[in-house]
Coordinates of all heavy atoms in Angstrom, one line a residue:
M24 N -37.6 68.4 -201.8 CA -38.4 69.1 -202.9 C -39.7 68.4 -202.9 O -39.9 67.2 -202.7 CB -37.7 68.8 -204.2 CG -38.4 69.4 -205.4 SD -37.5 69.2 -207.0 CE -36.3 70.5 -206.8
K25 N -40.7 69.2 -203.2 CA -42.1 68.8 -203.4 C -42.6 68.8 -204.9 O -42.1 69.7 -205.6 CB -43.0 69.7 -202.6 CG -43.1 69.3 -201.2 CD -44.2 70.2 -200.4 CE -44.2 69.9 -198.9 NZ -45.2 70.7 -198.3
C26 N -43.5 68.0 -205.2 CA -44.1 68.1 -206.5 C -44.9 69.4 -206.6 O -45.8 69.8 -205.7 CB -45.1 66.9 -206.7 SG -46.1 67.0 -208.2
A27 N -44.7 70.2 -207.7 CA -45.3 71.4 -207.8 C -46.8 71.3 -208.2 O -47.6 72.2 -208.1 CB -44.6 72.2 -209.0
A28 N -47.2 70.1 -208.6 CA -48.5 69.9 -209.0 C -49.4 69.4 -207.8 O -50.5 69.9 -207.7 CB -48.6 69.0 -210.3
C29 N -49.0 68.4 -207.2 CA -49.9 67.8 -206.1 C -49.3 67.9 -204.7 O -49.9 67.6 -203.8 CB -50.1 66.3 -206.4 SG -48.7 65.2 -206.1
G30 N -48.0 68.4 -204.6 CA -47.5 68.6 -203.2 C -46.8 67.4 -202.6 O -46.3 67.4 -201.5
S31 N -46.8 66.3 -203.4 CA -46.3 65.1 -202.8 C -44.8 65.1 -202.8 O -44.1 65.9 -203.6 CB -46.7 63.8 -203.7 OG -45.9 62.7 -203.5
T32 N -44.2 64.4 -201.9 CA -42.6 64.4 -201.8 C -42.1 63.1 -202.4 O -41.0 62.8 -202.3 CB -42.2 64.5 -200.3 OG1 -42.8 63.5 -199.5 CG2 -42.6 65.9 -199.8
A33 N -43.0 62.3 -203.0 CA -42.6 61.0 -203.5 C -42.0 61.3 -204.9 O -42.7 60.9 -206.0 CB -43.8 60.0 -203.6
L34 N -40.9 61.9 -205.0 CA -40.3 62.2 -206.3 C -39.1 61.3 -206.6 O -38.3 60.9 -205.8 CB -39.8 63.7 -206.3 CG -40.9 64.7 -206.0 CD1 -40.3 66.1 -206.0 CD2 -42.0 64.7 -207.1
V35 N -39.0 60.9 -207.9 CA -37.9 60.1 -208.3 C -36.9 61.0 -209.1 O -37.4 61.6 -210.2 CB -38.4 58.9 -209.1 CG1 -37.2 58.1 -209.6 CG2 -39.3 58.1 -208.4
G36 N -35.8 61.1 -208.8 CA -34.7 62.0 -209.4 C -34.2 61.3 -210.6 O -34.0 60.0 -210.6
G37 N -33.8 62.0 -211.6 CA -33.2 61.5 -212.8 C -32.8 62.5 -213.7 O -32.5 63.8 -213.4
K38 N -32.5 62.2 -215.0 CA -32.0 63.1 -216.0 C -32.9 62.9 -217.2 O -33.4 61.8 -217.4 CB -30.6 62.9 -216.4 CG -29.6 63.3 -215.2 CD -28.2 63.3 -215.7 CE -27.3 64.0 -214.7 NZ -26.0 64.2 -215.1
I39 N -33.0 64.0 -218.0 CA -33.7 63.9 -219.3 C -32.6 63.4 -220.3 O -31.6 64.0 -220.6 CB -34.1 65.2 -219.8 CG1 -35.0 65.9 -218.7 CG2 -35.0 65.1 -221.1 CD1 -36.4 65.5 -218.7
V40 N -32.9 62.2 -220.9 CA -31.9 61.6 -221.8 C -32.5 61.3 -223.1 O -33.7 60.8 -223.2 CB -31.3 60.3 -221.2 CG1 -30.3 59.7 -222.1 CG2 -30.8 60.6 -219.8
G41 N -31.9 61.8 -224.3 CA -32.4 61.4 -225.6 C -32.3 60.0 -226.0 O -31.6 59.2 -225.2
E42 N -32.9 59.6 -227.0 CA -32.8 58.2 -227.5 C -31.4 57.7 -227.8 O -31.1 56.6 -227.7 CB -33.7 58.0 -228.7 CG -35.2 57.9 -228.3 CD -36.1 57.5 -229.5 OE1 -35.5 57.1 -230.6 OE2 -37.3 57.6 -229.4
D43 N -30.6 58.7 -228.3 CA -29.3 58.3 -228.6 C -28.3 58.5 -227.4 O -27.1 58.4 -227.4 CB -28.7 59.3 -229.7 CG -28.8 60.8 -229.3 OD1 -29.3 61.1 -228.2 OD2 -28.2 61.6 -230.1
G44 N -28.9 58.7 -226.2 CA -28.1 58.8 -225.0 C -27.7 60.1 -224.6 O -27.0 60.4 -223.5
S45 N -28.0 61.1 -225.5 CA -27.5 62.4 -225.3 C -28.2 63.1 -224.0 O -29.4 62.9 -223.9 CB -27.7 63.3 -226.5 OG -29.1 63.4 -226.8
V46 N -27.6 63.8 -223.2 CA -28.2 64.4 -222.1 C -28.5 65.8 -222.4 O -27.7 66.6 -222.9 CB -27.2 64.3 -220.9 CG1 -27.9 65.0 -219.6 CG2 -27.1 62.9 -220.5
I47 N -29.7 66.2 -222.0 CA -30.1 67.6 -222.3 C -29.5 68.6 -221.2 O -29.6 68.2 -220.1 CB -31.7 67.7 -222.3 CG1 -32.3 66.6 -223.2 CG2 -32.2 69.1 -222.7 CD1 -31.8 66.8 -224.7
G48 N -29.1 69.7 -221.6 CA -28.7 70.7 -220.7 C -29.4 72.0 -220.7 O -30.2 72.2 -221.7
F49 N -29.1 72.9 -219.8 CA -29.7 74.2 -219.8 C -28.7 75.2 -220.2 O -27.5 75.1 -219.6 CB -30.2 74.5 -218.4 CG -30.8 76.0 -218.3 CD1 -32.0 76.3 -218.6 CD2 -29.9 76.9 -217.7 CE1 -32.4 77.6 -218.6 CE2 -30.3 78.3 -217.6 CZ -31.6 78.7 -218.0
Q50 N -29.0 76.1 -221.0 CA -28.0 77.2 -221.5 C -28.6 78.5 -221.3 O -29.7 78.8 -221.8 CB -27.7 77.0 -222.9 CG -26.6 77.9 -223.4 CD -26.1 77.5 -224.8 OE1 -26.8 77.7 -225.7 NE2 -24.9 77.0 -224.9
P51 N -28.1 79.4 -220.5 CA -28.6 80.7 -220.2 C -28.7 81.5 -221.6 O -27.9 81.3 -222.5 CB -27.4 81.4 -219.4 CG -26.7 80.3 -218.7 CD -26.8 79.1 -219.7
G52 N -29.8 82.3 -221.7 CA -30.1 83.0 -223.0 C -29.0 84.0 -223.3 O -29.0 84.4 -224.5
D53 N -28.2 84.4 -222.5 CA -27.1 85.4 -222.8 C -25.8 84.7 -223.1 O -24.8 85.4 -223.1 CB -27.0 86.4 -221.7 CG -26.6 85.8 -220.4 OD1 -26.5 84.6 -220.3 OD2 -26.5 86.6 -219.4
A54 N -25.8 83.3 -223.3 CA -24.5 82.7 -223.6 C -24.0 83.3 -225.0 O -24.7 83.4 -225.9 CB -24.7 81.2 -223.6
P55 N -22.6 83.4 -225.0 CA -22.0 83.8 -226.3 C -22.4 82.8 -227.4 O -22.5 81.6 -227.1 CB -20.5 83.8 -226.1 CG -20.4 83.9 -224.6 CD -21.6 83.2 -224.0
W56 N -22.5 83.3 -228.7 CA -23.0 82.4 -229.8 C -22.0 81.2 -229.9 O -22.5 80.2 -230.3 CB -23.0 83.2 -231.1 CG -21.7 83.7 -231.6 CD1 -21.1 84.9 -231.3 CD2 -20.9 83.0 -232.5 NE1 -19.9 85.0 -231.9 CE2 -19.7 83.9 -232.7 CE3 -20.9 81.8 -233.2 CZ2 -18.6 83.5 -233.5 CZ3 -19.8 81.5 -234.1 CH2 -18.8 82.4 -234.3
L57 N -20.7 81.4 -229.7 CA -19.8 80.2 -229.9 C -20.1 79.1 -229.0 O -20.2 77.9 -229.3 CB -18.4 80.7 -229.7 CG -17.3 79.9 -230.5 CD1 -17.5 79.9 -232.0 CD2 -15.9 80.4 -230.2
K58 N -20.5 79.5 -227.7 CA -20.8 78.6 -226.7 C -22.2 77.9 -227.0 O -22.3 76.7 -226.7 CB -20.9 79.3 -225.3 CG -19.5 79.5 -224.7 CD -19.7 79.9 -223.3 CE -18.3 79.9 -222.7 NZ -18.4 80.3 -221.2
R59 N -23.0 78.7 -227.6 CA -24.3 78.2 -227.9 C -24.2 77.1 -229.0 O -24.8 76.0 -229.0 CB -25.3 79.3 -228.5 CG -25.9 80.1 -227.4 CD -27.1 80.8 -227.9 NE -26.9 81.8 -228.9 CZ -26.7 83.1 -228.8 NH1 -26.6 83.5 -227.5 NH2 -26.5 83.9 -229.8
I60 N -23.4 77.4 -230.1 CA -23.2 76.5 -231.2 C -22.6 75.1 -230.7 O -23.1 74.0 -231.0 CB -22.3 77.0 -232.3 CG1 -23.0 78.2 -233.0 CG2 -21.9 76.0 -233.2 CD1 -22.2 78.9 -234.0
F61 N -21.6 75.2 -229.9 CA -21.0 74.0 -229.4 C -21.6 73.4 -228.2 O -21.0 72.5 -227.6 CB -19.4 74.2 -229.4 CG -18.8 74.4 -230.7 CD1 -18.4 75.7 -231.1 CD2 -18.6 73.4 -231.7 CE1 -17.9 76.0 -232.4 CE2 -18.2 73.6 -232.9 CZ -17.7 74.9 -233.2
A62 N -22.5 74.1 -227.6 CA -23.2 73.6 -226.4 C -22.2 73.5 -225.3 O -22.2 72.7 -224.4 CB -23.9 72.3 -226.6
V63 N -21.2 74.5 -225.3 CA -20.3 74.6 -224.1 C -20.8 75.3 -223.0 O -21.5 76.3 -223.1 CB -19.0 75.3 -224.7 CG1 -18.0 75.5 -223.5 CG2 -18.3 74.4 -225.9
G64 N -20.5 74.8 -221.8 CA -20.9 75.6 -220.7 C -22.4 75.3 -220.3 O -22.9 76.1 -219.5
N65 N -23.0 74.3 -220.9 CA -24.4 74.1 -220.5 C -24.5 73.6 -219.1 O -23.6 72.8 -218.7 CB -25.0 73.0 -221.5 CG -25.4 73.6 -222.7 OD1 -25.2 74.7 -223.0 ND2 -26.0 72.7 -223.6
R66 N -25.5 74.0 -218.4 CA -25.7 73.6 -217.0 C -26.6 72.2 -217.0 O -27.4 72.0 -217.9 CB -26.5 74.6 -216.3 CG -25.6 75.7 -215.8 CD -24.9 76.5 -216.8 NE -24.5 77.9 -216.5 CZ -23.8 78.6 -217.3 NH1 -23.5 78.2 -218.6 NH2 -23.5 79.7 -217.0
G67 N -26.2 71.4 -216.1 CA -26.9 70.2 -216.0 C -28.4 70.5 -215.7 O -28.7 71.5 -215.0
I68 N -29.3 69.5 -216.0 CA -30.7 69.6 -215.6 C -31.0 68.3 -214.8 O -30.7 67.3 -215.2 CB -31.6 69.6 -216.9 CG1 -31.4 71.0 -217.6 CG2 -33.1 69.4 -216.5 CD1 -32.3 71.2 -218.8
R69 N -31.5 68.5 -213.7 CA -32.0 67.5 -212.9 C -33.6 67.4 -213.1 O -34.2 68.4 -213.2 CB -31.9 67.7 -211.3 CG -30.4 67.6 -211.0 CD -30.2 67.7 -209.5 NE -30.5 69.1 -209.1 CZ -29.6 70.0 -208.6 NH1 -28.4 69.6 -208.6 NH2 -29.9 71.1 -208.3
A70 N -34.0 66.1 -213.3 CA -35.5 65.9 -213.5 C -36.1 65.2 -212.3 O -35.4 64.3 -211.7 CB -35.7 65.3 -214.8
Y71 N -37.3 65.4 -212.0 CA -37.9 64.7 -210.9 C -39.4 64.3 -211.4 O -40.2 65.2 -211.8 CB -38.1 65.7 -209.8 CG -36.8 66.1 -209.1 CD1 -36.2 67.3 -209.5 CD2 -36.1 65.3 -208.2 CE1 -34.9 67.7 -209.1 CE2 -34.9 65.7 -207.7 CZ -34.3 67.0 -208.1 OH -33.1 67.4 -207.7
G72 N -39.6 63.1 -211.3 CA -40.9 62.6 -211.7 C -41.7 62.2 -210.4 O -41.1 61.6 -209.5
C73 N -42.9 62.7 -210.5 CA -43.8 62.4 -209.2 C -44.5 61.1 -209.3 O -45.1 60.7 -210.3 CB -44.8 63.5 -209.0 SG -46.0 63.3 -207.8
L74 N -44.3 60.2 -208.3 CA -45.0 59.0 -208.2 C -46.4 59.0 -208.2 O -47.2 58.1 -208.6 CB -44.4 58.1 -207.1 CG -43.0 57.6 -207.3 CD1 -42.5 56.9 -206.0 CD2 -42.9 56.7 -208.4
H75 N -47.0 60.1 -207.7 CA -48.4 60.3 -207.3 C -49.2 60.7 -208.6 O -50.2 60.1 -209.0 CB -48.7 61.2 -206.2 CG -48.5 60.6 -204.8 ND1 -49.5 60.6 -203.9 CD2 -47.3 60.0 -204.3 CE1 -49.0 60.0 -202.8 NE2 -47.8 59.5 -203.1
C76 N -48.7 61.8 -209.2 CA -49.5 62.4 -210.4 C -48.7 62.3 -211.6 O -49.2 62.8 -212.6 CB -49.9 63.7 -210.0 SG -48.6 65.0 -210.0
E77 N -47.5 61.9 -211.6 CA -46.6 61.7 -212.9 C -46.2 63.0 -213.4 O -45.8 63.1 -214.5 CB -47.4 60.8 -213.9 CG -47.7 59.4 -213.4 CD -48.2 58.5 -214.5 OE1 -48.6 59.1 -215.5 OE2 -48.3 57.3 -214.3
H78 N -46.4 64.1 -212.6 CA -45.8 65.4 -213.0 C -44.3 65.3 -213.1 O -43.7 64.7 -212.2 CB -46.3 66.4 -212.0 CG -45.7 67.8 -212.3 ND1 -46.2 68.6 -213.3 CD2 -44.8 68.5 -211.7 CE1 -45.4 69.7 -213.3 NE2 -44.6 69.7 -212.3
L79 N -43.8 66.0 -214.2 CA -42.3 66.0 -214.3 C -41.9 67.4 -214.0 O -42.4 68.4 -214.7 CB -42.0 65.6 -215.7 CG -40.4 65.6 -216.0 CD1 -39.7 64.6 -215.3 CD2 -40.2 65.4 -217.5
Q80 N -40.9 67.5 -213.1 CA -40.4 68.9 -213.0 C -38.9 68.9 -213.1 O -38.3 68.0 -212.8 CB -40.9 69.6 -211.6 CG -40.5 68.8 -210.4 CD -41.4 69.3 -209.2 OE1 -42.5 69.3 -209.3 NE2 -40.7 69.7 -208.2
L81 N -38.4 70.1 -213.4 CA -36.9 70.1 -213.7 C -36.3 71.2 -212.8 O -36.9 72.2 -212.4 CB -36.8 70.6 -215.1 CG -37.4 69.8 -216.2 CD1 -37.2 70.4 -217.5 CD2 -36.8 68.4 -216.3
S82 N -35.0 71.0 -212.5 CA -34.2 72.1 -211.9 C -32.9 72.2 -212.6 O -32.4 71.2 -213.2 CB -34.0 71.8 -210.4 OG -33.3 70.7 -210.2
V83 N -32.3 73.4 -212.5 CA -31.0 73.6 -213.2 C -29.9 73.5 -212.1 O -30.0 74.1 -211.1 CB -31.0 75.0 -213.8 CG1 -29.7 75.3 -214.6 CG2 -32.1 75.1 -214.8
E84 N -28.8 72.9 -212.6 CA -27.6 72.9 -211.7 C -26.7 74.1 -211.9 O -25.7 74.0 -212.6 CB -26.8 71.6 -211.9 CG -27.6 70.3 -211.6 CD -26.9 69.1 -212.0 OE1 -26.1 69.1 -213.0 OE2 -27.2 68.0 -211.5
F85 N -27.2 75.3 -211.4 CA -26.3 76.4 -211.4 C -25.0 76.3 -210.7 O -25.0 75.7 -209.7 CB -27.0 77.7 -211.0 CG -28.1 78.2 -211.9 CD1 -29.5 78.3 -211.5 CD2 -27.8 78.6 -213.2 CE1 -30.4 78.7 -212.4 CE2 -28.7 79.1 -214.1 CZ -30.1 79.1 -213.7
S86 N -24.0 76.8 -211.3 CA -22.7 76.8 -210.6 C -22.6 78.1 -209.6 O -23.4 78.9 -209.7 CB -21.6 76.9 -211.6 OG -21.6 78.2 -212.3
E87 N -21.6 78.0 -208.8 CA -21.3 79.2 -207.9 C -21.3 80.5 -208.7 O -21.7 81.5 -208.2 CB -20.1 78.9 -207.1 CG -20.3 77.8 -206.1 CD -21.2 78.3 -204.9 OE1 -21.0 79.4 -204.4 OE2 -22.0 77.5 -204.4
S88 N -20.5 80.5 -209.8 CA -20.3 81.7 -210.6 C -21.6 82.2 -211.2 O -21.8 83.4 -211.4 CB -19.1 81.5 -211.6 OG -19.5 80.6 -212.5
D89 N -22.4 81.2 -211.6 CA -23.7 81.6 -212.1 C -24.6 82.4 -211.1 O -25.1 83.4 -211.4 CB -24.6 80.4 -212.5 CG -24.1 79.7 -213.8 OD1 -23.5 80.5 -214.5 OD2 -24.3 78.4 -213.9
L90 N -24.5 81.9 -209.9 CA -25.3 82.5 -208.8 C -24.8 84.0 -208.6 O -25.6 84.9 -208.5 CB -25.2 81.6 -207.5 CG -25.9 80.3 -207.7 CD1 -25.7 79.5 -206.4 CD2 -27.3 80.3 -208.1
E91 N -23.4 84.0 -208.6 CA -22.9 85.4 -208.4 C -23.2 86.3 -209.5 O -23.6 87.4 -209.3 CB -21.3 85.3 -208.3 CG -20.8 84.9 -206.9 CD -19.3 84.8 -206.9 OE1 -18.6 85.4 -207.8 OE2 -18.7 84.0 -206.2
Q92 N -23.2 85.7 -210.7 CA -23.5 86.6 -211.9 C -24.9 87.1 -212.0 O -25.2 88.2 -212.2 CB -23.1 85.9 -213.1 CG -23.3 86.7 -214.5 CD -23.1 85.9 -215.7 OE1 -22.5 84.8 -215.6 NE2 -23.5 86.4 -216.8
Y93 N -25.8 86.2 -211.7 CA -27.2 86.5 -212.0 C -27.9 87.0 -210.7 O -28.9 87.8 -210.8 CB -28.0 85.2 -212.4 CG -27.6 84.7 -213.7 CD1 -26.9 83.6 -213.9 CD2 -27.9 85.5 -214.8 CE1 -26.5 83.3 -215.2 CE2 -27.5 85.3 -216.1 CZ -26.9 84.0 -216.3 OH -26.5 83.6 -217.5
Q94 N -27.4 86.7 -209.5 CA -28.0 87.2 -208.3 C -27.8 88.7 -208.0 O -28.5 89.3 -207.1 CB -27.7 86.4 -207.1 CG -28.5 85.1 -207.1 CD -28.1 84.2 -205.9 OE1 -27.1 84.4 -205.3 NE2 -29.0 83.3 -205.7
Q95 N -26.9 89.3 -208.8 CA -26.7 90.8 -208.5 C -27.8 91.5 -209.1 O -27.9 92.7 -208.7 CB -25.3 91.1 -209.2 CG -25.3 91.0 -210.7 CD -24.0 91.5 -211.3 OE1 -23.4 92.6 -211.0 NE2 -23.3 90.6 -212.0
F96 N -28.6 91.0 -209.9 CA -29.8 91.7 -210.5 C -31.0 91.0 -209.8 O -31.3 89.8 -210.0 CB -29.9 91.5 -211.9 CG -28.7 92.1 -212.7 CD1 -27.7 91.3 -213.1 CD2 -28.6 93.4 -212.9 CE1 -26.6 91.7 -213.8 CE2 -27.5 94.0 -213.5 CZ -26.5 93.1 -214.0
E97 N -31.8 91.8 -209.1 CA -33.0 91.2 -208.4 C -34.1 91.2 -209.5 O -34.2 91.9 -210.4 CB -33.5 92.3 -207.4 CG -32.6 92.3 -206.2 CD -32.7 91.0 -205.3 OE1 -33.8 90.5 -205.2 OE2 -31.7 90.5 -204.8
G98 N -34.9 90.2 -209.3 CA -36.1 90.1 -210.1 C -35.8 89.6 -211.6 O -34.9 88.8 -211.7
E99 N -36.4 90.3 -212.5 CA -36.2 89.9 -213.9 C -34.9 90.3 -214.4 O -34.4 91.3 -214.1 CB -37.3 90.7 -214.7 CG -37.3 90.2 -216.2 CD -38.5 90.8 -217.0 OE1 -39.5 91.2 -216.4 OE2 -38.3 90.9 -218.3
Q100 N -34.3 89.4 -215.1 CA -32.9 89.5 -215.6 C -32.9 90.5 -216.7 O -33.7 90.5 -217.6 CB -32.3 88.2 -216.0 CG -32.2 87.2 -214.9 CD -31.1 87.6 -213.8 OE1 -30.1 88.1 -214.2 NE2 -31.5 87.5 -212.6
P101 N -31.9 91.5 -216.7 CA -31.8 92.5 -217.8 C -31.2 91.7 -219.1 O -30.6 90.7 -218.9 CB -30.8 93.5 -217.2 CG -30.0 92.7 -216.2 CD -30.9 91.7 -215.7
N102 N -31.5 92.3 -220.2 CA -31.0 91.7 -221.4 C -29.4 92.1 -221.4 O -28.9 92.8 -220.6 CB -31.6 92.2 -222.7 CG -31.5 93.7 -222.9 OD1 -30.4 94.3 -222.7 ND2 -32.6 94.2 -223.5
V103 N -28.7 91.6 -222.4 CA -27.2 91.7 -222.4 C -26.8 93.1 -222.5 O -25.9 93.5 -221.8 CB -26.7 90.9 -223.6 CG1 -25.2 91.1 -223.7 CG2 -27.0 89.4 -223.5
L104 N -27.5 93.9 -223.4 CA -27.1 95.3 -223.5 C -27.2 96.1 -222.1 O -26.3 96.8 -221.8 CB -28.0 96.0 -224.6 CG -27.5 95.8 -226.0 CD1 -28.3 96.5 -227.0 CD2 -25.9 96.2 -226.1
E105 N -28.4 95.8 -221.5 CA -28.6 96.5 -220.3 C -27.5 96.1 -219.3 O -27.0 96.9 -218.4 CB -30.0 96.1 -219.6 CG -31.0 96.8 -220.5 CD -32.4 96.3 -220.1 OE1 -32.5 95.2 -219.6 OE2 -33.4 97.0 -220.3
R106 N -27.1 94.8 -219.3 CA -26.1 94.3 -218.4 C -24.8 95.0 -218.6 O -24.1 95.4 -217.7 CB -26.0 92.7 -218.5 CG -25.2 92.1 -217.4 CD -25.0 90.6 -217.8 NE -26.2 89.9 -218.0 CZ -26.9 89.3 -216.9 NH1 -26.3 89.3 -215.8 NH2 -27.9 88.6 -217.2
I107 N -24.4 95.0 -219.9 CA -23.1 95.7 -220.3 C -23.2 97.1 -219.8 O -22.2 97.6 -219.3 CB -22.9 95.6 -221.8 CG1 -22.6 94.1 -222.1 CG2 -21.7 96.5 -222.2 CD1 -22.5 93.8 -223.7
N108 N -24.2 97.8 -220.1 CA -24.3 99.2 -219.8 C -24.3 99.6 -218.3 O -24.0 100.6 -217.9 CB -25.6 99.9 -220.4 CG -25.5 100.0 -221.9 OD1 -24.4 100.1 -222.5 ND2 -26.7 100.0 -222.5
S109 N -24.6 98.5 -217.6 CA -24.6 98.7 -216.1 C -23.2 98.4 -215.5 O -23.0 98.7 -214.3 CB -25.6 97.7 -215.4 OG -25.1 96.4 -215.4
E110 N -22.2 98.0 -216.4 CA -20.9 97.7 -215.8 C -20.2 99.1 -215.7 O -20.3 100.0 -216.6 CB -20.0 96.9 -216.8 CG -20.7 95.6 -217.2 CD -20.2 94.4 -216.3 OE1 -19.0 94.5 -216.0 OE2 -21.0 93.5 -216.0
P111 N -19.6 99.4 -214.6 CA -19.0 100.6 -214.4 C -17.8 100.9 -215.4 O -17.1 99.9 -215.6 CB -18.5 100.6 -213.0 CG -18.4 99.1 -212.5 CD -19.4 98.4 -213.4
G112 N -17.7 102.1 -215.8 CA -16.5 102.5 -216.7 C -16.6 102.0 -218.1 O -15.7 102.0 -218.9
E113 N -17.8 101.5 -218.6 CA -18.0 101.0 -219.9 C -18.6 102.0 -220.9 O -19.8 102.1 -221.0 CB -18.8 99.7 -219.9 CG -18.1 98.5 -219.4 CD -17.2 97.9 -220.5 OE1 -17.4 98.0 -221.7 OE2 -16.1 97.3 -220.1
L114 N -17.8 103.0 -221.5 CA -18.2 103.9 -222.3 C -19.4 104.9 -221.9 O -20.0 105.5 -222.7 CB -18.8 103.2 -223.6 CG -17.6 102.4 -224.4 CD1 -18.3 101.6 -225.5 CD2 -16.4 103.2 -224.9
N115 N -19.7 104.7 -220.6 CA -20.8 105.6 -220.1 C -20.2 106.7 -219.3 O -19.3 106.6 -218.5 CB -21.6 104.7 -219.0 CG -22.7 103.9 -219.7 OD1 -23.0 104.2 -220.9 ND2 -23.3 103.0 -219.1
G116 N -20.8 107.9 -219.6 CA -20.5 109.2 -218.9 C -19.1 109.5 -218.9 O -18.6 110.2 -218.1
Ligands
ZN27 ZN1 -47.4 65.0 -208.0

């Protein structure tokens, strides 16, 4: 991985950690409300600090099922309703 700001490869990997030791996660915007409330199913976030310019960049630890779920839609992700409507046999036609 390269620094997105200066192109250096001198990156130090780590995690974003709060003062109380809590680790920050990534949650897809279409997660069900129950999961949002209890922060269930959050994906891990990897952080990389650049030694050259101190730029901080992040990456998400998507699971295999995430990739399957989201990669079926090219480009911009549809919202939940569009996604449901695109499922075959769901109250359509
Ligand atoms: Zn940099």
Side-chain angles (χ1 to χ4, degrees):
M24 179 179 283
K25 279 185 180 176
C26 173
C29 75
S31 167
T32 55
L34 300 178
V35 178
K38 290 192 168 185
I39 307 278
V40 182
E42 285 186 8
D43 61 351
S45 60
V46 176
I47 309 300
F49 172 83
Q50 190 169 67
D53 60 357
W56 66 271
L57 206 59
K58 285 191 172 184
R59 286 203 294 269
I60 288 174
F61 295 104
V63 173
N65 280 4
R66 281 58 161 178
I68 290 180
R69 287 184 293 252
Y71 301 89
C73 177
L74 286 174
H75 281 237
C76 71
E77 300 184 350
H78 175 72
L79 177 68
Q80 60 195 54
L81 306 173
S82 67
V83 182
E84 296 171 335
F85 281 121
S86 66
E87 286 292 317
S88 60
D89 285 334
L90 297 179
E91 276 178 26
Q92 179 183 348
Y93 292 110
Q94 281 181 341
Q95 62 179 307
F96 300 100
E97 289 288 322
E99 190 175 334
Q100 295 293 315
N102 66 35
V103 175
L104 279 179
E105 287 168 341
R106 192 187 300 269
I107 290 171
N108 287 336
S109 74
E110 305 264 328
E113 285 281 331
L114 301 175
N115 273 350

